[in-house]
Structure formats: structure tokens, C-alpha cells
Amino acid sequence: MTELKLIESIRSQVKPHPNVMLGIGDDCAVLQSHPQAQLVTTDTLMDGRHFICGDTPPALIGRKSLAVSISDIAAMGGVPEAAFVSLVIPQRKESQPLVEGLMSGIVTLADKFHIAIAGGDSNSWSGPLVVSITLTGRPHHRGPVRRSGAKPGDSIFVTGPLGGSIDDHHLNFEPRTFLAKELLDLTPITSMIDLSDGLATDLRHICSESAVSAQLNPEAIPFRSNITHLDTRLEKALTDGEDFELCFSLNPKGVETLKRAKLSQPIYHVGTIVKQGPNALQWNDGTAIISTGFEHGF
Amino acid sequence: MTELKLIESIRSQVKPHPNVMLGIGDDCAVLQSHPQAQLVTTDTLMDGRHFICGDTPPALIGRKSLAVSISDIAAMGGVPEAAFVSLVIPQRKESQPLVEGLMSGIVTLADKFHIAIAGGDSNSWSGPLVVSITLTGRPHHRGPVRRSGAKPGDSIFVTGPLGGSIDDHHLNFEPRTFLAKELLDLTPITSMIDLSDGLATDLRHICSESAVSAQLNPEAIPFRSNITHLDTRLEKALTDGEDFELCFSLNPKGVETLKRAKLSQPIYHVGTIVKQGPNALQWNDGTAIISTGFEHGF
């Protein structure tokens, strides 16, 4: 298949979008400007690292490649708008169904979240599949929720059970943009991050950007039902990664507001922000949490 | 090196930018909105295809990876603003100097074009180096220049000599944003594209999007000085690709305006837009041009 045919096929699947003035087919896409700021995030997923070609159905590879970026927009409290899809495709006989499946997974999830596929790039080589997606979005009218606004006394929440995402959750998780909007419609959120590298690593980012520490209640941390072993499940919930739930902090007034509200799904109060101490993370009995989630390196 | 250290090192090299409200270090970047539209382009470059790790100095790999996207912004007549850099890094001993050189090449060119490095992603694996850059920009006040506005009677120009870019031009070319602005300050441009796949292929894109044909004057096509063989240089100028000059069309009034203007660099009048015929491209004696430039496929 030539790149031109691939682009034509993608162009034919893509619906018009009110904020995309010019989509696929020119040197650049042209997006409508917002009165508010624009969010931009980018994620690159590779065969053997984030998915296994041959094992993972192509549509789920495509779905995950877009879902991780939607999750980043959710973590700023935003609404996704336009995606730019770069494919590096293995030169193999089976690549045509691979690309078709990949794109169908991307387009299906994009439609569900009202995201336009506004551009991209495609190349082929003798190496493994790489999918890189850049996603734009608009913030909630309260403004983008950063990692840096947590204050001592705030409560820490997560939006779903953690750990064991390797089974299939990392491929079919639901990015939390709708819930983030629901929360922000009710109350300001002082800080937020999405859990991609594990609560232990990602909550440390909030602590370091906000210059605070965090106390977690081991009894309150929700586990995914596939991690049942008592000795290891706390460790797995903290470090497995790819949960793609949100972790956020609320001030006491926000907690009161949410107590009175009916949310569309449960959230879990897992701890408290405290003054910055020698350990970014500790249990609520004061002992340090030394676990770390996934650390990228080369 | 861990990803966190890499991000810290990049963060320390990046200067603040008036249009980047929040750069590296959160889930998304936050860009200031323009009253005008936003341009977005994305390009992915791979070892063995667009550069050769080991042969190509890392700083030139970085330079090229950003320059090709600046060239896309130039092709819309825009000014680049914020870059998002995704790296897929080989897990090798030599990767630290590779990444440092790569980033220095990116940062140096970004500074020259007043581009902020506003975000990105980094991953490592056992495969070859992949660099994917998404670049945003703002259009000229006349609006984005599309491929689709060429009209019969327009003149076709290119902004520099073509062919033979494989020597080193493809690594150190100058993206034409300044020239594009200079031209647009003087006159509207009816269509424009940057020459990445060769004049024969890229001018066909203008013809197809504008529903016109193009006549080229073989005597007027400028050659790079390293292609000297009389029999093949026309073919090479049309098909080698990676010239990264601009090809654009002007109506007769625009041509008159430019004749009276002093431009900072020469431009070359290579042909004329004509009514759509059976061949998108022909020589000015009416014979069809069958050459095609680079076609991506998998």
C-alpha cells in the first residue's frame, strides 16, 4: 500500500470537526483558536514495550495509542479535540491488515471522544511498529489543572482500582475525561496527574511539583480484582503502572462539596497531603514508602 | 540515564517563550491561544531512512528532525512556535552522547527560529533511533497558504536549486519561513508546498488539490551544483527529493509586485499553471512529465 492510499483511506474515515478548519492533506493542519489556552500532549508507543504485535489485536494497539494521550488531557481537566497520528510501519505482508486494524481502533475511540484525526505522518521500515500520537485539547473553564497546586491538608483521591493492568486493562481502559469534567464542574481540583507509571511514582511527581509530601492509608487503596495475593497487592497497586486512573487532590471545602454530590462513578479517598518532609511518600503511621513505579531509562 | 534526568537536562536548556504558558513537566503543555488559527504539523524520522546513526553527527540528526517540520510551517506561510519532541532511544552505551548531540541540534535550531521546546516523550528499546516532532505555528495575517488555490495563468516558482540533496543538503538545509513571510508581506500566494518528495511529486499535489495542471520550463529549473551530468540532472532535480525549498504559485498581479521588489534571496520562475488536462505535469512543449519523486509505501 502506498502512503497516499493510506492517507486517502484515513481521510475517508474521518468526520468533519467544528474546530478543525483544515485537516489531513496539506502541509499542516489548521485548528480554530480558543478564547482559552490550548492543551498539547504527545505519546509514543512501541512494539515490544507498550504492546506486542502478533499478540495484541491491531485495533487495541490503535485504541491504546490514542487512549494514553486522552488520559493526559484528562489529567489537566481538559477535553480532547484533534489528534495527529504518526505511524512507523514494518515492511511486511501482514502490514496492511495491521494498519487497517490500528486505524479502526484509533478512529473508533476518536469518535467516542469527539476527537478529529487532523493530521499525521506515515513511514515504513524493516524495524518494529511505532505509533506516536499528539493530541490537542481545551482546558475546563476553571483553567488547566497542574501537578503543582497541592497544599498540606488536601485530601488525595484516585478514580479507580489499581494494579495488575497487564492483564488487559492497559489495552481497554477508559480515559477519565468525563469524570474529570464532572469533578471540575463541582469544585476546583488543586492538583492532578494520570497514573501511567504507578501511584508511587506519579504521586511523587505531584509532591515534587507542589513541594509537599503525601501520606497514604494502606486500608483505603483500591485493588483491581485480579491482584489477590495479600502480601504483594499493595506493592502491585503502587508500582505496576498503566492504571490510567486519575490521582488528584482536593482542599477540605472541595471534599465537602463532593460528599454532597452524586458522582457517576466511585472515587477513592486514599490519603492526605502533608508538609514537605524527608520522604515524599509515607504511610499514615509515618513509615516511609520506598516503592517506586516504572522508571524510564536508556 | 533515566528519563527524569533527560527531561531535567532538556528543561534546563529550554528558554521561556511568551506563547508557552506551561512547558515541559506536566501532563500536557499549555499554549497561549492566538486570535488567528493554529498550525500543527508532525514528522517522524528514523535511523536508516532519514539519517544514518554512526554516519550522521547526532546534532545534525536533531537539526534535520526539527527542520523538516519548520519547512511544513513555512509551506503554509506560517511562523513556528512550539515543538514537542518524542524520542525512541536505542538502549546502548553510546546513547547518552547520541541523545545529548540530538537535543543540542534541536535546541540550537529551535533558538534560531524562536521555537519553544514545550513538551515531548522519551522511551528506550532495542530497536533503532526514532525521532518524532510535532510543531505548532501561527499563520501569516493573510491566512494559511493551502495547496488548493492555484489557478490557470498563475506562475510557478521555487525558492532554490533542486536535486542532489543527499550529499549534505538534506541535513543542513535552511527552512524557508523567513522568505515565506517576506513574500506574503508583499503579495498573496495562491498555493504553496515544500519540496520533500521531489518537485515532480510535490507539484502534483498542488495540481490535484487545485484541480489544475502545470507546465514546466526545463531551461528554468535550477540545479544544485553537485548534479552536473547533463543527461540526468533534470530527472534528479525533479525526483531526488529532500530539497526543502518551497514551490508556490502567484497570480499575474503578484508576479508584477515581486518583479518590482528586492527579495533577500533569489527565487526561480519555473513554469505556469494551466487548465486541468490528462497529465498533471507537462513540459512547456506539451509532452507529459512521467517522472515521479519519492513514494512512501509499506
Side-chain angles (χ1 to χ4, degrees):
Chain A
M1 188 187 243
T2 65
E3 185 183 23
L4 282 182
K5 280 199 182 136
L6 173 64
I7 293 171
E8 271 320 305
S9 141
I10 295 171
R11 227 174 166 178
S12 71
Q13 291 176 64
V14 165
K15 297 184 186 126
H17 189 284
N19 290 329
V20 177
M21 298 155 74
L22 179 62
I24 296 169
D26 215 305
D27 295 290
C28 296
V30 183
L31 306 184
Q32 185 93 51
S33 282
H34 300 297
Q36 275 204 303
Q38 178 127 48
L39 305 174
V40 186
T41 183
T42 191
D43 284 285
T44 300
L45 282 75
M46 300 111 64
D47 184 12
R49 169 59 65 101
H50 303 92
F51 54 82
I52 312 283
C53 269
D55 280 7
T56 316
L60 284 182
I61 298 175
R63 187 192 191 283
K64 179 175 183 178
S65 302
L66 178 58
V68 297
S69 288
I70 303 176
S71 185
D72 281 321
I73 298 280
M76 304 297 281
V79 174
E81 291 202 326
F84 298 82
V85 179
S86 281
L87 303 179
V88 182
I89 304 161
Q91 266 161 336
R92 282 199 299 260
K93 218 175 52 231
E94 321 84 74
S95 284
Q96 181 144 354
L98 171 66
V99 171
E100 285 167 3
L102 197 64
M103 285 311 306
S104 83
I106 292 175
V107 168
T108 304
L109 193 68
D111 284 350
K112 181 169 175 182
F113 283 84
H114 310 293
I115 294 167
I117 312 289
D121 189 19
S122 76
N123 288 281
S124 62
W125 71 344
S126 56
L129 178 67
V130 180
V131 186
S132 186
I133 295 189
T134 300
L135 184 63
T136 67
R138 61 175 189 277
H140 191 272
H141 63 75
R142 292 191 196 269
V145 182
R146 300 180 52 168
R147 297 178 179 177
S148 55
K151 294 269 181 302
D154 286 358
S155 294
I156 304 166
F157 291 83
V158 297
T159 58
L162 309 180
S165 90
I166 193 67
D167 64 344
D168 57 0
H169 177 76
H170 75 112
L171 294 170
N172 61 22
F173 67 90
E174 202 62 25
R176 298 300 189 194
T177 49
F178 301 125
L179 180 60
K181 180 180 183 312
E182 197 180 349
L183 295 168
L184 279 167
D185 286 347
L186 291 164
T187 174
I189 293 174
T190 55
S191 73
M192 189 150 62
I193 193 168
D194 71 318
L195 298 175
S196 54
D197 295 333
L199 180 63
T201 288
D202 292 320
L203 183 53
R204 277 193 180 90
H205 292 316
I206 284 188
C207 290
S208 109
E209 296 289 327
S210 300
V212 296
S213 287
Q215 264 185 358
L216 290 175
N217 174 4
E219 314 287 325
I221 290 173
F223 309 106
R224 290 198 61 244
S225 59
N226 64 329
I227 53 167
T228 49
H229 200 292
L230 279 177
D231 293 352
T232 57
R233 65 181 191 178
L234 200 55
E235 176 73 8
K236 288 177 79 58
L238 259 61
T239 63
D240 275 356
E242 302 218 308
D243 304 303
F244 296 109
E245 297 293 345
L246 298 174
C247 173
F248 62 94
S249 59
L250 285 182
N251 63 24
K253 200 175 149 197
V255 175
E256 280 312 305
T257 305
L258 285 200
K259 268 189 192 157
R260 292 190 304 270
K262 260 209 164 73
L263 293 177
S264 62
Q265 63 164 92
I267 57 173
Y268 304 84
H269 181 178
V270 295
T272 309
I273 300 290
V274 296
K275 272 207 297 196
Q276 192 165 34
N279 301 302
L281 299 192
Q282 50 186 263
W283 297 116
N284 52 3
D285 67 2
T287 55
I289 298 175
I290 52 169
S291 307
T292 52
F294 186 72
E295 277 225 17
H296 304 261
F298 61 88
Chain B
M1 190 187 243
T2 66
E3 185 183 23
L4 282 183
K5 279 197 183 138
L6 172 64
I7 293 171
E8 272 319 306
S9 141
I10 295 170
R11 226 174 168 178
S12 70
Q13 291 176 64
V14 166
K15 296 182 186 127
H17 188 285
N19 290 330
V20 178
M21 297 155 74
L22 178 63
I24 297 168
D26 214 304
D27 296 291
C28 295
V30 183
L31 305 184
Q32 185 93 51
S33 281
H34 300 298
Q36 275 205 301
Q38 178 127 47
L39 304 174
V40 186
T41 183
T42 189
D43 283 285
T44 300
L45 281 75
M46 299 111 63
D47 185 11
R49 170 59 64 101
H50 304 92
F51 55 81
I52 312 283
C53 270
D55 280 7
T56 315
L60 285 182
I61 298 175
R63 187 192 190 284
K64 178 176 184 177
S65 303
L66 178 58
V68 298
S69 288
I70 302 176
S71 186
D72 282 321
I73 298 280
M76 304 298 281
V79 173
E81 292 202 324
F84 298 82
V85 179
S86 280
L87 304 179
V88 182
I89 304 162
Q91 268 162 335
R92 283 199 299 260
K93 215 174 54 226
E94 322 83 74
S95 284
Q96 180 143 356
L98 171 67
V99 171
E100 284 166 3
L102 197 64
M103 286 312 305
S104 82
I106 292 174
V107 168
T108 303
L109 193 67
D111 284 351
K112 181 170 174 182
F113 283 83
H114 309 294
I115 295 166
I117 312 289
D121 190 19
S122 76
N123 287 282
S124 63
W125 70 345
S126 56
L129 178 67
V130 180
V131 186
S132 186
I133 295 190
T134 299
L135 184 64
T136 69
R138 60 176 189 277
H140 192 270
H141 63 75
R142 292 191 196 269
V145 183
R146 300 180 52 168
R147 299 177 178 178
S148 56
K151 294 267 182 301
D154 287 359
S155 295
I156 304 167
F157 291 83
V158 296
T159 57
L162 309 180
S165 90
I166 192 69
D167 64 343
D168 56 1
H169 177 76
H170 75 112
L171 294 170
N172 60 23
F173 68 90
E174 201 63 24
R176 297 301 189 195
T177 49
F178 300 125
L179 180 59
K181 180 180 184 312
E182 198 180 347
L183 294 167
L184 279 167
D185 285 347
L186 291 163
T187 174
I189 293 174
T190 56
S191 73
M192 188 150 63
I193 193 168
D194 71 320
L195 298 175
S196 53
D197 296 333
L199 180 63
T201 289
D202 292 320
L203 182 53
R204 278 193 178 89
H205 292 316
I206 284 188
C207 290
S208 110
E209 295 289 328
S210 299
V212 295
S213 286
Q215 265 187 355
L216 290 175
N217 175 3
E219 315 286 326
I221 290 173
F223 308 107
R224 289 196 63 244
S225 58
N226 64 328
I227 53 167
T228 50
H229 200 292
L230 278 177
D231 293 353
T232 56
R233 65 181 191 178
L234 201 54
E235 177 73 10
K236 288 176 78 59
L238 259 61
T239 63
D240 274 358
E242 302 221 306
D243 303 303
F244 296 109
E245 297 294 344
L246 298 174
C247 172
F248 63 95
S249 58
L250 284 183
N251 63 23
K253 199 174 150 198
V255 175
E256 282 311 307
T257 304
L258 285 200
K259 268 189 191 154
R260 290 191 305 272
K262 261 208 164 73
L263 293 176
S264 63
Q265 63 164 91
I267 59 173
Y268 304 84
H269 181 177
V270 295
T272 309
I273 300 290
V274 296
K275 272 208 297 198
Q276 192 165 35
N279 301 302
L281 299 193
Q282 50 186 263
W283 297 117
N284 52 4
D285 67 2
T287 56
I289 298 175
I290 52 169
S291 307
T292 52
F294 186 73
E295 277 225 15
H296 306 260
F298 60 89

